[in-house]
Every structure is written in structure tokens, then in C-alpha cells.
Amino acid sequence: MPETAHLILHSSGAGAAGRWELRTGTTTIGRDPECDIVLSDREVSRHHAEIRNETGSYILVDLGSTNGTLVNDMRVERSIPLRSGDSITIATGHRFQFLDSDATLPVSSGPHSVTIDPTSRSVSIGGQIVDPPLAPIQFALLSLLAEQPIRVFTRDEIADACYPDALGGVSDQAIDGVVRRLRSRLAELDPDTDYIAAVRGHGYRLRG
């Protein structure tokens, strides 16, 4: 997984996806369809706020929104630097969590939650580390799916992530084999949960 920060949406009535990578430049949040993170809610301003990546530090800026932006329940008047774990509330009903690149990335919630540590490249389920570690190709697949858990990733996208140096095409059988082996490794610690859902004719996604 690339060492980037993430913004995770924990609660919202807007039906938005749950996780975004914060790469270089600026990530915009608002009601306008041109924003990077779109919240379809009249309480959210068209251009509500933005997060700026300034040489590895992340700054949250409120863009003069009507209903405000909170960080850890304190209203942001202009801008504020973000720290890993900070809670961000947009308007009244959209609560995010900011995680920097060194933080473990939650993949799922509940008693058997899965987390990924991009620094050590380790994976844990319910606090137990998957040991021996996932093979690099399995870790690449899980990291890709974890970027947007409710999104379906096509086999082509999975092939690009898992076989970046492949000179020819990657077969569907190869992709299905990687998925099968990853499922098997996760099942070693949690045999009752299938974390990867197949969407017929489209690809794979992480279950919520």
C-alpha cells in the first residue's frame, strides 16, 4: 500500500463511500459534484472544506461554509493542522476520521476487525497478527481492496496492483487464485467470515 494518509467516513446520511486516500495536492469536500468527496446534503456547502497536503503535513481548511467544520468537536475558524486520529465533522451529520500514513488502517469493524499496518506490512484480525505474514501479492490485493471497501475493483485493476511488472495479460484464473489464497490466509484466524465478496461479471470488493 502506498504510504498515504486516509480519510474515513464513519457516519453519514449522504450515501458516500467510506474511505479516501489523501495523496499530493488538495482534496476538496462539499456538495458540488466536482469535489473530490461529494456529500449530497443541503446542510453541506457546495465547497465546504479542503485538506491540503503540504510536504507531508495535512492542513484542514474551512472554505467559509455555512454550517461549519469541526475538528475534535471544536469549530475550525480558518485552518488547522491534522493529527492522526482526529475526528472531523462536516456540517452536522458527516463524521470522518483522519489517519496519517504511519497509522494502522482499519479494513472492517466489529469483534473480528481487520487492520493493515502499511509500515510493517502486517495484517491483524481481532488483534491477532496474521503469521506468517501475507505474501507480497496477497498484501497488495488486500491493500487495494481496503482503499475503498464498498467499491468493486475489476480484475484489470487487481492485475495492475498485484502484477505491476507483468509484460503480458494476467488471466482471470491467476486473479481468482490470488483471491482464493488471500481468503484462505484470513480464514486461518477467522474461519467464519468471508471478507472478500465476488461480484459476478464485475470483480471483487471487501465486505463491510
Side-chain angles (χ1 to χ4, degrees):
M1 172 181 292
E3 292 189 1
T4 56
H6 288 78
L7 196 65
I8 300 173
L9 180 60
H10 286 298
S11 61
S12 174
R19 181 180 288 120
W20 295 263
E21 284 194 9
L22 304 175
R23 296 183 180 272
T24 59
T26 298
T27 300
T28 55
I29 306 170
R31 197 175 74 250
D32 192 289
E34 297 299 319
C35 290
D36 298 304
I37 300 175
V38 179
L39 300 174
S40 301
D41 181 344
R42 298 298 299 179
E43 293 191 0
V44 177
S45 298
R46 293 184 63 83
H47 298 93
H48 196 103
E50 63 186 24
I51 297 176
R52 300 172 183 170
N53 183 349
E54 300 182 352
T55 63
S57 297
Y58 292 85
I59 309 296
L60 174 70
V61 180
D62 183 86
L63 301 176
S65 65
T66 301
N67 291 310
T69 303
L70 306 179
V71 173
N72 301 326
D73 297 323
M74 298 291 291
R75 182 152 183 160
V76 176
E77 297 300 332
R78 297 181 64 182
S79 65
I80 187 172
L82 293 173
R83 297 175 298 177
S84 188
D86 278 348
S87 172
I88 301 169
T89 303
I90 300 295
T92 58
H94 311 279
R95 184 174 289 270
F96 297 80
Q97 184 180 26
F98 170 77
L99 294 176
D100 68 21
S101 59
D102 295 325
T104 56
L105 178 64
V107 175
S108 62
S109 59
H112 302 291
S113 60
V114 178
T115 58
I116 298 174
D117 189 328
T119 302
S120 66
R121 298 181 67 83
S122 64
V123 176
S124 63
I125 299 177
Q128 298 184 70
I129 294 178
V130 176
D131 188 30
L134 296 179
I137 194 170
Q138 297 164 6
F139 187 86
L141 172 58
L142 183 61
S143 298
L144 174 69
L145 299 180
E147 290 179 6
Q148 298 181 52
I150 67 173
R151 177 189 164 191
V152 178
F153 286 86
T154 67
R155 283 184 165 83
D156 286 343
E157 290 173 316
I158 293 172
D160 290 342
C162 294
Y163 299 93
D165 300 321
L167 297 179
V170 178
S171 68
D172 288 351
Q173 290 79 7
I175 298 300
D176 294 340
V178 176
V179 173
R180 183 172 60 253
R181 290 189 291 274
L182 176 58
R183 280 174 167 159
S184 177
R185 292 303 317 280
L186 299 178
E188 292 173 7
L189 291 182
D190 185 8
D192 297 325
T193 303
D194 184 2
Y195 290 97
I196 303 175
V199 181
R200 185 179 297 276
H202 295 279
Y204 293 95
R205 67 172 178 83
L206 280 180
R207 296 185 187 275

